[in-house]
Amino acid sequence: MGVDYTALKKGGFMRQKQKNNFSLRLRVVGGQLTAKQLAKIAEVSEQYGEGYVHLTSRQSVEIPFIKLDEVDAVKKALAEGEVEPGVCGPRVRTITACQGAAVCPSGCIDTYTLAKELDDRYFARELPHKFKFGITGCQNNCLKAEENDVGIKGGIKVEWNEEKCIQCGVCVKACRGKAIKLEDNKITINQEACNFCGRCTKACPTDAYDETHGYIVSFGGLFGNTINTGKTIIPFIEDYNKLMKVCDAAIHFFEENANAGERFKFTIDRVGREQFEKVIEEAYKND
């Protein structure tokens, strides 16, 4: 019986140039691995590989030089350390994320929790081509959200609370977009210039801004043979359930309209951006 290389690739075992050797991609969510998982990965790489791992550009871990006749033994050994193989091919890939608000002072959303939820919802879903999510916690954009098929960026929508304000002007200096002005002891915010970075409210010494934490979502990013910056349709999504509806709508649009081997950006271009925008807007508005 021949080797089913397609099934192996689907399960994270990618063929190397060396015959009967595979680089095994592991399932990593939001860039996080426990010490227990790391210890088991090190053990497996020593026993079944060549004693090293490769860290991919999308926060995954690969163990090179896994032998064909040891694939099952490797999967069993990894399972003992709560490590799972990843996926390759035409399906939803590793969900990447920065450390977000749980760790980073600049973070506006809990990126890892969101990454885990998206992973539970979509990971390995079969699609016409690969599909990538990237989550970044703020406008510093460490995860380069717009490079992904769906990129999610944390943001904070602010509203000035006059009663708490002491007119110190710290928020004006903190705003890199020059969206805030202090005139006649009053703050004004140019909503068109505001990019929801949250620097004003994080800098404010008296908590004089009411905050709404939310998401800035872009669609159709690519960073390979073709480079394309994902585009935002709804400026700010303030509700988690609405975010999930928008993500569901994006994947469903791709699933229903894409040709085999066609990336999301090209599906949007071929079917029509106006039609895609209508789908996303309807998902956002639908309660």
Side-chain angles (χ1 to χ4, degrees):
M1 183 180 294
V3 178
D4 190 343
Y5 290 107
T6 300
L8 284 167
K9 184 176 181 180
K10 180 179 179 180
F13 288 87
M14 299 174 293
R15 294 173 71 176
Q16 294 182 200
K17 61 188 294 185
Q18 296 84 3
K19 186 177 181 180
N20 291 332
N21 281 263
F22 297 83
S23 188
L24 170 57
R25 182 172 295 167
L26 303 178
R27 183 176 185 177
V28 179
V29 181
Q32 289 198 20
L33 289 166
T34 66
K36 178 180 179 179
Q37 289 173 315
L38 286 170
K40 179 56 68 174
I41 292 166
E43 178 186 312
V44 169
S45 70
E46 287 280 3
Q47 184 174 354
Y48 296 100
E50 293 201 346
Y52 74 96
V53 300
H54 172 71
L55 303 181
T56 75
S57 61
R58 286 186 54 78
Q59 298 185 325
S60 190
V61 175
E62 292 176 5
I63 307 175
F65 291 99
I66 300 298
K67 306 302 182 287
L68 178 60
D69 58 1
E70 293 181 328
V71 164
D72 290 336
V74 166
K75 289 194 288 187
K76 182 179 179 181
L78 288 170
E80 293 170 356
E82 300 176 2
V83 180
E84 298 178 40
V87 296
C88 302
R91 47 197 58 89
V92 176
R93 301 292 189 84
T94 295
I95 313 292
T96 61
C98 69
Q99 295 205 73
V103 173
C104 178
S106 298
C108 300
I109 57 171
D110 184 346
T111 52
Y112 178 72
T113 297
L114 180 56
K116 187 69 173 65
E117 290 166 349
L118 291 174
D119 181 82
D120 291 341
R121 195 178 186 98
Y122 302 124
F123 180 72
R125 178 167 170 170
E126 300 284 336
L127 292 170
H129 204 353
K130 59 186 166 185
F131 199 95
K132 299 176 180 179
F133 285 89
I135 307 167
T136 200
C138 68
Q139 286 290 350
N140 289 336
N141 205 9
C142 297
L143 254 289
K144 304 175 181 64
E146 290 86 356
E147 292 180 2
N148 294 269
D149 296 288
V150 173
I152 301 171
K153 189 182 298 179
I156 302 176
K157 184 184 288 186
V158 297
E159 185 175 343
W160 180 52
N161 187 325
E162 184 174 3
E163 293 181 359
K164 293 183 177 181
C165 185
I166 58 173
Q167 295 84 43
C168 65
V170 169
C171 60
V172 178
K173 295 177 182 177
C175 180
R176 296 180 182 177
K178 308 300 180 186
I180 301 176
K181 290 184 178 180
L182 174 60
E183 296 176 332
D184 299 325
N185 294 325
K186 287 189 177 294
I187 290 288
T188 57
I189 303 172
N190 180 351
Q191 296 297 339
E192 291 185 1
C194 178
N195 68 352
F196 312 110
C197 70
R199 290 188 179 94
C200 55
T201 184
K202 289 178 183 291
C204 179
T206 61
D207 297 325
Y209 285 95
D210 297 326
E211 302 176 359
T212 301
H213 292 247
Y215 316 94
I216 303 156
V217 185
S218 58
F219 304 92
L222 277 175
F223 203 81
N225 291 308
T226 301
I227 296 175
N228 184 67
T229 301
K231 303 298 188 297
T232 299
I233 296 171
I234 299 160
F236 187 85
I237 297 176
E238 70 288 348
D239 181 79
Y240 167 80
N241 291 325
K242 287 182 180 292
L243 172 67
M244 291 297 109
K245 288 180 179 180
V246 164
C247 291
D248 284 345
I251 282 191
H252 184 69
F253 180 90
F254 184 56
E255 198 170 39
E256 292 295 307
N257 293 285
N259 296 323
E262 180 178 64
R263 290 297 298 273
F264 190 34
K265 179 257 195 274
F266 299 118
T267 303
I268 295 171
D269 290 348
R270 179 174 51 78
V271 176
R273 184 152 193 92
E274 286 186 6
Q275 185 170 333
F276 174 67
E277 289 181 357
K278 187 180 297 185
V279 167
I280 296 302
E281 288 166 355
E282 287 176 358
Y284 175 74
K285 292 174 184 176
N286 184 14
D287 292 328

